[in-house]
Amino acid sequence: MRKETHVPKILKAVSRYTLFFLIIAFPITCCLMLFIRTMSGSMGLELTSENISIAAKITFVNVVALSILFAVIDRIRRKITVDRPVRKITKAAEQMMQGDFSVRIEPIKGFGDGEKFNEIIRCFNQMAEELSGVETLRTDFVANVSHEMKTPLAVMQNFGTLLQTPGLTEEQRLEYAKGVTDGARRLAGMMTNMLKLNRLENQQIYPKATQYDLSEQLCECLLQFEDVWERRNIEIDTELEEGVNVTADQELLTLVWNNLLSNAFKFTEDGGSVSLKLKTTEHHAIVTVADTGCGMSPEVGAHIFDKFYQGDTSHATEGNGLGLALVKRVIDIMQGEIRVDSTLGQGTEFTVKIPKG
């Protein structure tokens, strides 16, 4: 094995030496011949075979010595300027192949091909950073999905076990069956949102822009929660400009308004208030959804558009942390803007700004 490993290296060394020998031999021989002819012509010296033989031997020795010197210098140069950077890049690539995406390569300082290698290193580090982010997202995604699925599945399992208890009253049976149904509905909702978000992020859903009345759409979305505000005695405050026409994907924006209104009602206590406003500028429609609910801290507000993030870490409120991620993605596709202003204990206000088209 060692002989097989060293043979190519020896052949490469011999080929490099031969190349230097030929490159050096030609100009030195030509220069020496020109020098001898010039000297013999100008000084009238007669060249004998013995003199030429001695000169040829000296020239050959010089060529051999210079070839060896240049080959050694080239080998050192290559080892410093080529082999070392290649080893660093190769080692880092092997670490990445083993799953270590935290590896980074320090830029090369020096001369030679350093700048070219630095360009490769910059690309490598950028690739490693992107892969590290993707791996983190994948790991977080799997962990979050597992956690979110575990809660409704545990609820369904517990209620399913209770349903098997003999001697249940009709009221108990209905209560336990409702628990199973609610868990299944929550699980189905999470799967639906995951599929929608995946399709949006992979650009498998393309907006179908049509012109429609945005104020009418907002009223329809709000009326879907009528039983909620009546049952919980929540005050509704609306301030909608009439006849606001926009050119956008009506179905996707319905998803936005339903999510924002659902959150507003979910986090507003009984007897609180929820407001919905619509105003326009020359080129934009601005929708505001506000509530007098529990609000959130700046730390929570900074992450609410992240997938699976829930400000209520106890998961006491129903949700899976995908609704606002969907909202943000839809608004981005519509080339709009969304902003949140919230004060802990006082309420939250979402402001959506979309082009009128």
Side-chain angles (χ1 to χ4, degrees):
M1 291 295 293
R2 287 186 177 180
K3 289 184 178 180
E4 292 178 359
T5 304
H6 289 301
V7 167
K9 292 183 179 180
I10 295 173
L11 290 176
K12 287 181 180 179
V14 171
S15 64
R16 288 198 191 99
Y17 173 77
T18 304
L19 178 63
F20 278 113
F21 179 85
L22 295 175
I23 292 173
I24 294 171
F26 180 75
I28 288 181
T29 303
C30 292
C31 290
L32 183 62
M33 291 176 63
L34 182 61
F35 175 76
I36 292 174
R37 286 187 179 181
T38 303
M39 290 295 292
S40 62
S42 62
M43 300 181 67
L45 299 175
E46 182 179 354
L47 298 177
T48 63
S49 58
E50 183 179 357
N51 292 336
I52 294 175
S53 176
I54 293 172
K57 290 177 181 178
I58 294 173
T59 302
F60 179 77
V61 171
N62 288 334
V63 170
V64 170
L66 288 173
S67 300
I68 293 173
L69 178 62
F70 288 168
V72 170
I73 293 173
D74 181 66
R75 174 58 183 165
I76 295 173
R77 180 194 66 82
R78 289 178 59 84
K79 194 172 186 65
I80 295 174
T81 62
V82 178
D83 292 353
R84 286 184 181 178
V86 168
R87 278 200 301 270
K88 288 174 66 175
I89 296 172
T90 304
K91 183 179 178 181
E94 289 174 350
Q95 288 180 254
M96 285 187 62
M97 289 170 60
Q98 295 173 2
D100 181 11
F101 297 107
S102 64
V103 61
R104 299 292 185 272
I105 306 175
E106 291 294 328
I108 297 170
K109 298 178 182 179
F111 54 92
D113 297 326
E115 189 55 38
K116 295 179 180 178
F117 278 113
N118 283 337
E119 187 175 346
I120 297 173
I121 289 170
R122 281 193 293 270
C123 293
F124 182 93
N125 288 340
Q126 185 177 355
M127 178 184 65
E129 187 173 351
E130 293 291 334
L131 288 173
S132 177
V134 170
E135 179 64 15
T136 301
L137 286 175
R138 185 190 69 81
T139 304
D140 290 347
F141 181 81
V142 172
N144 285 321
V145 168
S146 301
H147 178 77
E148 294 298 333
M149 289 181 66
K150 185 168 61 177
T151 302
L153 285 174
V155 171
M156 293 166 63
Q157 183 179 8
N158 292 337
F159 281 114
T161 303
L162 290 172
L163 277 172
Q164 299 175 32
T165 305
L168 290 176
T169 64
E170 183 67 15
E171 183 180 355
Q172 288 176 321
R173 187 182 64 80
L174 290 175
E175 180 185 352
Y176 299 157
K178 183 178 182 301
V180 174
T181 304
D182 290 344
R185 186 180 295 113
R186 180 176 177 181
L187 194 60
M190 183 178 68
M191 294 297 112
T192 300
N193 283 340
M194 283 174 57
L195 290 172
K196 286 181 180 178
L197 187 57
N198 181 66
R199 293 176 65 190
L200 284 169
E201 289 185 337
N202 289 286
Q203 297 182 346
Q204 294 176 354
I205 295 179
Y206 299 96
K208 297 178 181 178
T210 57
Q211 189 176 62
Y212 69 94
D213 191 329
L214 178 59
S215 52
E216 182 179 340
Q217 181 190 39
L218 290 170
C219 288
E220 292 174 356
C221 291
L222 181 61
L223 287 173
Q224 293 180 22
F225 299 92
E226 184 175 6
D227 61 330
V228 177
W229 80 62
E230 287 183 349
R231 184 178 70 252
R232 297 175 54 197
N233 195 30
I234 295 176
E235 181 183 349
I236 302 300
D237 177 25
T238 58
E239 188 178 328
L240 306 175
E241 288 187 19
E242 295 183 358
V244 178
N245 293 317
V246 296
T247 302
D249 191 309
Q250 187 171 358
E251 183 179 351
L252 289 179
L253 281 182
T254 298
L255 180 68
V256 171
W257 314 135
N258 284 340
N259 270 286
L260 294 179
L261 288 169
S262 174
N263 281 343
F265 286 110
K266 180 168 63 176
F267 292 105
T268 299
E269 297 179 354
D270 295 356
S273 67
V274 171
S275 69
L276 177 63
K277 298 179 181 180
L278 168 63
K279 63 180 182 179
T280 60
T281 62
E282 184 178 357
H283 301 290
H284 294 87
I286 302 173
V287 178
T288 304
V289 179
D291 62 66
T292 57
C294 58
M296 53 188 160
S297 64
E299 292 77 14
V300 172
H303 297 283
I304 57 171
F305 296 114
D306 295 346
K307 286 181 287 187
F308 293 105
Y309 183 81
Q310 296 187 59
D312 179 14
T313 55
S314 67
H315 296 261
T317 56
E318 183 179 352
N320 49 52
L322 288 173
L324 289 177
L326 274 170
V327 168
K328 182 67 168 64
R329 184 57 184 151
V330 170
I331 297 301
D332 288 343
I333 289 175
M334 298 293 178
Q335 297 181 337
E337 302 173 12
I338 184 168
R339 188 183 75 248
V340 58
D341 297 299
S342 184
T343 303
L344 193 62
Q346 296 183 19
T348 302
E349 179 180 280
F350 284 92
T351 303
V352 177
K353 183 178 179 181
I354 58 172
K356 290 200 293 189

